[in-house]
Amino acid sequence: MGVRLPSWSYSPPYSGYWHPVTSTINWCEEDYYATPYAAEIVNTLTNLMFVLLAFKGIRNCRRHGHDTVFVVAFVGYLLVGTGSFLFHATLKYPMQLVDELSMIYTTCLMNYATFSYSKSRQYGFTLALALVSLAISITLYYHYLQDPAFHQVAYGILTAVMLARSMYVMEFSLRPSLRKNEENFELHHKKSMTADQKEVSRSDDLRNAKILSTMWILILTGLSIFLSGFGVWQMDNIFCSNLRHWRRELGLPWGIILEGHGWWHLLTGVGAYYYLIWGIWLRHCLNGRQDEYSLVWPSMLSLPKIVRSKYASGIISPNIAKKTR
């Protein structure tokens, strides 16, 4: 005879404080089974991950002098979490727009930061105008269409473009064999270098190659976490009826483990945080400040951050410390 964990049953469906539902989509989590004040309690509370990591990121940016654009990005990240919190708590259409459109606007902002770096002011202005126009167009068409699939496709394309551009910039700016004007540099400068200068150049190339290797680990870890969340969410959509049955069989609180959309919030929140940390580090490297800033990432089970090098002593794990010297 099996041992059954202590649990209590899900309550029957009833109308909560925010009834009726006006959003164009409702998720697999059952409504108002835990409290009348939150339609989807797990999907609501898991957004606190965004709030926690947003404040952590903002504090880190202010303490260590990271570019202002990343403070703004973390504020956008905070708005995404707050909007999602309000949407899942109420299942109201206006809150759905706050949730979904804040994702579009924050991603547009990060695309601006990625594509405008080191460009002229005129280029930056034109790019900003184009991205604002794009964001407005997505907003208006989505409000007209009211099809969540359109939002998901638009967000996916914007995110993919941003990631591809960032990876391109990282490779062609840091990898010694791909750096812009590398051949001209070799031809016009290295021939006239002293032995000490050549040693410094080789040391810089080695340092950048090691940083690049660590960046790829950071990127792939964050991307794996993000895509894992997406995969769990899709399973939640596909097998919703089975999951609801299993949750009721398990009872509370154990049934919440099978809330796939809640896992989507947790995993994509962490994955997006990894992207922002990578962006901060990449920006410092592009500014030639590799020796001033270090990645602090003691283990895969900890959250990374970028700090001024004087703060990094004794914090970075041995492997990562070697790669950032």
Side-chain angles (χ1 to χ4, degrees), residues 47 120 124 242:
N47 283 291
S120 66
N242 301 86

Side-chain angles (χ1 to χ4, degrees), residues 103-104 107 150-160 226 264 272:
M103 296 168 65
I104 297 293
T107 310
F150 170 74
H151 163 265
Q152 292 162 15
V153 170
Y155 174 70
I157 291 173
L158 286 169
T159 301
F226 190 97
W264 152 260

Side-chain angles (χ1 to χ4, degrees), residues 181-223:
N181 297 324
E182 182 73 5
E183 292 182 358
N184 291 334
F185 178 81
E186 294 278 354
L187 179 64
H188 297 296
H189 293 276
K190 283 198 172 181
K191 287 183 179 179
S192 60
M193 281 183 177
T194 65
D196 288 343
Q197 289 172 327
K198 289 181 180 179
E199 179 60 30
V200 170
S201 178
R202 283 192 295 269
S203 177
D204 288 345
D205 286 348
L206 181 62
R207 175 202 61 192
N208 287 341
K210 289 182 176 181
I211 288 176
L212 188 63
S213 176
T214 307
M215 279 188 175
W216 273 114
I217 296 173
L218 186 67
I219 295 165
L220 294 175
T221 301
L223 191 59

Side-chain angles (χ1 to χ4, degrees), residues 89-156:
T90 64
L91 292 180
K92 293 294 186 181
Y93 179 66
M95 295 300 101
Q96 178 183 351
L97 292 181
V98 172
D99 173 20
E100 296 176 332
L101 293 178
S102 62
M103 296 168 65
I104 297 293
Y105 301 155
T106 301
T107 310
C108 284
L109 171 66
M110 292 310 300
N111 269 283
Y112 176 80
T114 301
F115 282 91
S116 66
Y117 177 78
S118 77
K119 302 295 184 180
S120 66
R121 181 172 296 181
Q122 182 178 0
Y123 179 94
F125 177 79
T126 304
L127 177 63
L129 187 62
L131 287 171
V132 169
S133 299
L134 176 62
I136 292 173
S137 299
I138 291 173
T139 300
L140 294 176
Y141 189 65
Y142 181 49
H143 181 57
Y144 165 76
L145 197 63
Q146 296 193 4
D147 183 358
F150 170 74
H151 163 265
Q152 292 162 15
V153 170
Y155 174 70

Side-chain angles (χ1 to χ4, degrees), residues 59-106:
R59 183 179 62 181
N60 182 256
C61 287
R62 292 174 61 85
R63 181 179 182 184
H64 296 285
H66 304 321
D67 285 2
T68 303
V69 68
F70 292 104
V71 176
V72 178
F74 274 114
V75 170
Y77 177 92
L78 174 62
L79 291 177
V80 170
T82 303
S84 185
F85 183 100
L86 295 173
F87 168 42
H88 289 289
T90 64
L91 292 180
K92 293 294 186 181
Y93 179 66
M95 295 300 101
Q96 178 183 351
L97 292 181
V98 172
D99 173 20
E100 296 176 332
L101 293 178
S102 62
M103 296 168 65
I104 297 293
Y105 301 155
T106 301

